[in-house]
Amino acid sequence: MYYTRLQVICDPDFSEILMAEIAEAGFDTFMETEKGFEAYVELENYDKERLLEVKERYGRQFPLVFYQDRIEKQNWNEEWEKSYQPIFVEDQCVIRAEFHKIEKEYPYVITITPKMSFGTGHHQTTYLMVKGQLTIDHQHKRVMDAGCGTAILSIMASKRGAKEVVAFDIDEWSVINGNENIEVNQCTNISLQQGKLQQLDITGTFDIILANINKNVLLDEIKLYQQYLVPGGLLLLSGFYTHDIADLLNEGAKFSLQEVQRDERETWASLLLRKTY
């Protein structure tokens, strides 16, 4: 059996939304690469017009390359597992799949059930967020995980002693995979919903808000995060580049969010902000 392979080179900020769009055109298997991702479907079994529309629409927003070829069927999981590596954070935490053999013991072990049909996120930003969480007191805190993806940050918050974690993501795959990960890690205090913050009926305030998304979404929603934070509450952000820090700090300042600390990893950055009233 043969498959159509679509190799996509794109801005990492848009990888997951492009995966979702391309899935709607019929592609059903995805694997992240250094420059973007690859998508697979049984030969010719996809909507060519829809795929072209996706390419043209997003190609107007940022540099985007699609390259198609034909390959023979292979053991996808075996190939994918070769490329998926565990994430080690500050010698304190390891984020691993069940097929990884980790000989050393870590204070925090997060086991995920990654899917080829779901982006695992940028290791740099995941690293920065988990590293940031290691500096924050989660004990008995109420935590929001905005755009939770695989729910790694929610699980870390639970393992760090959070009282309750409210997580959400717009992507159905995220909700399905996130709930699997929550169950595997036996975290009973995490609730995960599908939708945008503006659409969900989330009540009460939070001591900590975690948001590993992208610059544009963060700039748009930072005012909402501020509304949900208690006075003195903490907002941990990542998913943006180091050259975006000033824009995020300027926007945060409009809503009484003051920088506590920042961190960088390669070209990526994170910010910890505190609500000052």
Side-chain angles (χ1 to χ4, degrees), residues 250-269:
N250 290 336
E251 189 65 18
K254 298 176 185 178
F255 304 99
S256 301
L257 293 167
Q258 185 177 69
E259 180 181 358
V260 176
Q261 66 185 36
R262 67 176 71 183
D263 201 356
E264 301 177 5
R265 185 172 173 83
E266 297 181 5
T267 60
W268 298 93

Side-chain angles (χ1 to χ4, degrees), residues 4 8 42 55 71 104 132 134 149 174-175 225 236 263 275:
T4 293
V8 179
E42 288 186 18
K55 180 182 179 182
I71 63 171
K104 180 180 176 179
L134 288 167
S174 297
V175 175
Y225 303 150
L236 182 61
D263 201 356
K275 183 176 177 178

Side-chain angles (χ1 to χ4, degrees), residues 215-230:
K215 176 187 174 181
N216 292 334
V217 173
L218 294 175
L219 288 174
D220 184 54
E221 294 190 348
I222 200 166
K223 57 183 176 294
L224 299 176
Y225 303 150
Q226 183 266 359
Q227 293 171 10
Y228 277 99
L229 275 175
V230 300

Side-chain angles (χ1 to χ4, degrees), residues 10-171:
C10 65
D11 185 321
D13 287 349
F14 293 90
S15 287
E16 290 187 9
I17 191 169
L18 275 172
M19 287 184 195
E21 293 272 18
I22 291 171
E24 292 296 321
F27 286 78
D28 55 16
T29 301
F30 295 81
M31 181 166 61
E32 290 182 319
T33 64
E34 290 185 2
K35 297 182 178 180
F37 61 91
E38 294 179 356
Y40 300 85
V41 65
E42 288 186 18
L43 193 62
E44 304 298 322
N45 190 24
Y46 65 96
D47 187 332
K48 296 180 179 63
E49 290 185 3
R50 181 152 191 172
L51 182 63
L52 179 61
E53 187 274 329
V54 170
K55 180 182 179 182
E56 291 178 346
R57 176 154 47 92
Y58 285 94
R60 291 192 292 267
Q61 301 179 46
F62 54 86
L64 180 62
V65 175
F66 279 18
Y67 174 76
Q68 285 181 245
D69 61 358
R70 188 181 76 161
I71 63 171
E72 289 190 65
K73 183 179 180 180
Q74 53 190 292
N75 187 330
W76 304 117
N77 286 333
E78 181 181 342
E79 292 299 313
W80 182 79
E81 288 179 11
K82 290 178 184 176
S83 66
Y84 184 77
Q85 298 298 320
I87 305 170
F88 300 93
V89 183
E90 296 297 288
D91 211 32
Q92 292 291 305
C93 175
V94 58
I95 302 164
R96 58 177 290 273
E98 290 182 317
F99 53 77
H100 289 137
K101 295 181 179 179
I102 308 297
E103 297 181 0
K104 180 180 176 179
E105 292 188 4
Y106 290 82
Y108 301 99
V109 178
I110 298 175
T111 303
I112 63 172
T113 54
K115 305 294 183 181
M116 285 186 62
S117 59
F118 176 76
T120 53
H122 312 303
H123 287 190
Q124 295 92 336
T125 61
T126 303
Y127 183 100
L128 288 169
M129 290 294 289
V130 173
K131 181 182 176 184
Q133 285 183 271
L134 288 167
T135 70
I136 299 172
D137 178 12
H138 288 64
Q139 288 291 321
H140 311 298
K141 306 294 186 183
R142 190 169 190 239
V143 179
M144 174 190 290
D145 185 0
C148 63
T150 53
I152 288 172
L153 306 183
S154 295
I155 294 165
M156 185 61 173
S158 178
K159 289 179 178 289
R160 291 276 290 157
K163 175 179 64 177
E164 177 189 7
V165 183
V166 176
F168 57 88
D169 199 290
I170 61 172
D171 195 307

